[in-house]
């Protein structure tokens, strides 16, 4: 197994552990919604501290359920990952194209310098 394959395997195992360990260890079992987002946690904390608090703004769109909200968040994350992947792929392609063009120009220059046989 190559060095890169070992590193990728270890990274994949680390990501899987980060996803599975909170469930296995029962973190959040004492809560009604154990893995609620930070917005919900902040709203709960604010309501506990100041029950009469009125938000300054209201959302432009309120999803009908938590599942729809999660799906929209996942879509947003996927679009962002796609944009980043496109950008890094474009950069890599340009760099490889420049390297190939440089190698081709060096090869043609070296062939032009070689003496011709009679």
């Amino acid at each position: 197994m190559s060095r890169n394959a070992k590193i990728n395997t270890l990274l994949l195992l680390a990501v899987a552990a980060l996803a599975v360990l909170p469930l296995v260890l029962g973190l959040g079992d004492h809560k009604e919604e154990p893995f609620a987002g930070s917005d919900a946690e902040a709203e709960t904390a604010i309501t506990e501290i100041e029950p009469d608090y009125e938000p300054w703004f209201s959302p432009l769109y309120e999803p009908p359920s938590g599942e729809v909200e999660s799906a929209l968040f996942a879509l947003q994350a996927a679009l962002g990952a796609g944009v980043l992947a496109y950008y890094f792929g474009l950069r890599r392609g340009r760099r490889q194209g420049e390297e190939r063009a440089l190698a081709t120009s060096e090869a043609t220059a070296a062939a032009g310098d070689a003496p011709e046989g009679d």
Side-chain angles (χ1 to χ4, degrees), residues 22-88:
L23 300 172
V24 171
L25 297 175
L27 300 177
D29 283 347
H30 61 282
K31 296 181 180 179
E32 185 177 320
E33 291 184 37
F35 301 107
S38 60
D39 291 345
E41 292 287 330
E43 185 178 343
T44 303
I46 290 170
T47 306
E48 288 175 3
I49 294 170
E50 184 67 42
D52 298 330
Y53 176 77
E54 288 293 324
W56 295 357
F57 302 101
S58 60
L60 297 175
Y61 171 70
E62 187 71 37
S65 68
E67 290 82 9
V68 173
E69 185 175 0
S70 294
L72 291 174
F73 182 75
L75 177 65
Q76 177 185 1
L79 287 173
V83 168
L84 285 176
Y86 174 77
Y87 171 74
F88 287 119

